[in-house]
């Protein structure tokens, strides 16, 4: 008897199918044909296309019905968008504005996002399968990122050197890097876009955005809000469709100065390779296999709750998912039992019901991938202590997965090393701090890590030794616009949000000046 908490279908009426369009040079445009024609294609997540036109129908992963349609972008459409961003940058219609003027637009966008939060949250939930309360939190939280970026736009400054000697002065300028391609995933479509776009705009860049083919709508709604807020045409362009050819074109085109990508490590590698042809700047936010280490002296109640939050939040489809815990041997059994018990109380089910904490898996293919990891672990000798199969939610489609906890795991198993991206927790054990750090660092990824202990020496020694972009101490997944974020090792390149998040979109130029006395001649007089 699994005894899980399941929220059945709420019976809410779904809105009309949303029709999305590319945004190029301030105009919303279809690819070639309109929806409802014979060119409509069924959704095949992740499948590469030849770039011809047609429409992608997005089926809600929780409800199984069509919720949006988007044109399949072509190389030509991507190139038009790049050309629009290029000329918008080159004529200075945005980059030449004062920081104050740019901040005014960004603040207006933040207000408009908040005013439209309900409709944005609804479509985000229907496309992604995440609970409506969390979609709303994502949208309103993202508005705060736009406000923070506006503050950066006004306080942006370089550096000066006034101690180079009496005749010299140097000024270090920060200049916008130019045209930026922004490629985003489906798991936090609007949040991740907002970790990039307002910072690029604050810096004075112009952009071409490609959202995931699974979750395009909130990005296109944002396009409408940008126009309403008075952003000049061509400063932000949006191209819909698949990674091939749209994303690939955005990564390799010589008119693009930088590509910033969030998604899987495999695609990130391809983007870095495509960008290398013109040596454009590349920023990558990739996968993670993030450990939480639990010491016996920790507040074990708080730790268990954070472990459960860390693994099931966003159905585990989260780059920061706390997907592996490393528990001290002395407490491993009772702690795991506590986590299993708490897991039964987490509400899985209809994402439209405000009581739901965990919704659907984004696609059928992805659900099968999650299940394959659990099956392989079972075969390799691991124990499935909870879950391990699809979850039946009364009245809804098949794309739900049970909260799953896998024990008797060894560090070499795929489930302990690779990103499952589902509601699946693996449990490893340790005896000493050194051993825990070895397990943490014996990984290809290095996005985030956590430590739970009441001993400050333990916490700080761990934090300094862990190879990760973020280390949480006695908490998990707290984030702030002010605090920069990014990964080490194969979790990424570069940083987002915080002051460093703005610097990513800037070039540095040094002005070295002689003042007062003229320069001593190099050529000797005859
Ligand atoms: P994905 O890599 O499959 O796709 C991401 C985006 O890249 C999509 O827009 C897709 O269309 C596009 N794309 C696909 N192939 C491309 C190509 N050849 N060239 C250019 N673009 C291409 O990732 P996903 O499945 O959408 O998202 C899940 C992954 O994202 C997970 O691995 C997760 O860890 C990662 N992620 C990382 C972070 C982070 O901040 N580190 C945050 C969220 C998600």
């Amino acid at each position: 008897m699994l005894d899980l908490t399941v929220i059945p279908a709420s019976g809410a009426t779904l809105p009309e199918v949303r029709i999305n369009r590319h945004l190029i040079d301030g105009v919303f445009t279809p690819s070639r044909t309109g929806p409802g024609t014979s060119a409509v294609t069924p959704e095949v997540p992740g499948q590469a296309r030849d770039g011809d036109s047609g429409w992608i129908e997005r089926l809600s992963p929780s409800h199984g019905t069509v919720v949006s349609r988007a044109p399949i972008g072509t190389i030509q459409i991507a190139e038009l968008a790049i050309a629009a961003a290029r000329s918008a940058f080159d004529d200075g219609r945005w980059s030449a504005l004062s920081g104050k003027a740019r901040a005014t637009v960004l603040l207006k966008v933040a207000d408009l996002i908040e005013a439209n939060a309900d409709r944005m949250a609804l479509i985000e939930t229907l496309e992604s399968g995440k609970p409506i309360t969390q979609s709303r939190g994502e949208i309103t939280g993202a508005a705060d990122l736009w406000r923070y970026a506006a503050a950066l736009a006004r306080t942006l400054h370089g550096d000066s050197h006034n101690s180079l000697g009496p005749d010299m002065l140097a000024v270090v300028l920060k200049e916008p890097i130019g045209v930026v391609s922004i490629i985003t995933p489906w798991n936090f479509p609007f949040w991740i876009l907002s970790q990039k776009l307002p910072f690029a705009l604050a810096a004075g860049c112009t952009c071409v955005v490609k959202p995931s083919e699974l979750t395009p709508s909130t990005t296109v709604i944002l396009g409408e809000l940008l126009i309403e807020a008075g952003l000049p045409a061509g400063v932000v362009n949006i191209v819909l469709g698949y990674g091939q050819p749209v994303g690939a074109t955005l990564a390799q085109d010589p008119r693009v100065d930088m590509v910033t990508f969030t998604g899987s490590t495999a695609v990130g590698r391809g983007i870095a390779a495509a960008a290398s042809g013109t040596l454009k700047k590349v920023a990558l936010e990739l996968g993670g296999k993030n450990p939480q280490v639990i010491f016996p002296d920790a507040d074990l109640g708080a730790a268990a709750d954070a472990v459960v939050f860390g693994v099931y939040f966003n159905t585990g489809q989260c780059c920061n998912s706390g997907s592996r815990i490393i528990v001290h041997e002395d407490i491993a059994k009772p702690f795991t039992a506590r986590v299993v018990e708490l897991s039964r109380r987490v509400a899985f089910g209809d994402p439209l019901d405000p009581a739901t904490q965990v919704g659907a898996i984004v696609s059928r293919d992805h659900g099968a991938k999650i299940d394959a990891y659990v099956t392989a672990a079972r075969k390799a000798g691991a124990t499935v202590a909870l879950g391990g199969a699809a979850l039946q939610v009364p009245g809804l489609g098949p794309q739900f997965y049970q909260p799953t906890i896998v024990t008797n795991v060894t560090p070499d198993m795929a489930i302990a090393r690779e990103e499952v991206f589902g509601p699946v927790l693996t449990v490893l054990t340790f005896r000493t701090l050194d051993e825990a750090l070895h397990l943490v660092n014996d990984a290809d990824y290095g996005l985030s890590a956590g430590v739970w202990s009441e001993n400050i020496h333990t916490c700080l020694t761990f934090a300094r030794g862990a190879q990760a972009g973020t280390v949480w101490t006695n908490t998990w997944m707290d984030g702030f616009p002010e605090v920069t974020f990014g990964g080490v090792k194969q979790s990424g390149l570069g940083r987002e949000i915080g002051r460093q998040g703005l610097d990513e979109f800037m070039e540095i130029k040094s002005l070295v000046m002689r003042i007062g006395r003229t320069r001593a001649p190099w050529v000797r007089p005859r």
Side-chain angles (χ1 to χ4, degrees), residues 161-182:
H161 296 268
N162 197 28
S163 306
L164 304 173
D167 307 324
M168 301 302 296
L169 178 65
V171 176
V172 178
L173 300 181
K174 289 186 179 173
E175 298 180 336
I177 201 162
V179 174
V180 179
S181 290
I182 297 179

Side-chain angles (χ1 to χ4, degrees), residues 289-293 320 324 437 440-441 446-452 462-463 466-473 475-477:
K289 187 72 187 177
N290 312 297
Q292 297 208 60
V293 175
N320 270 324
R324 55 181 178 135
L437 273 172
V440 164
N441 293 337
L447 190 60
S448 55
V451 58
W452 290 84
F462 176 89
Q467 295 166 356
T470 298
V471 179
W472 281 293
T473 300
T475 188
W476 188 256
M477 236 187 308

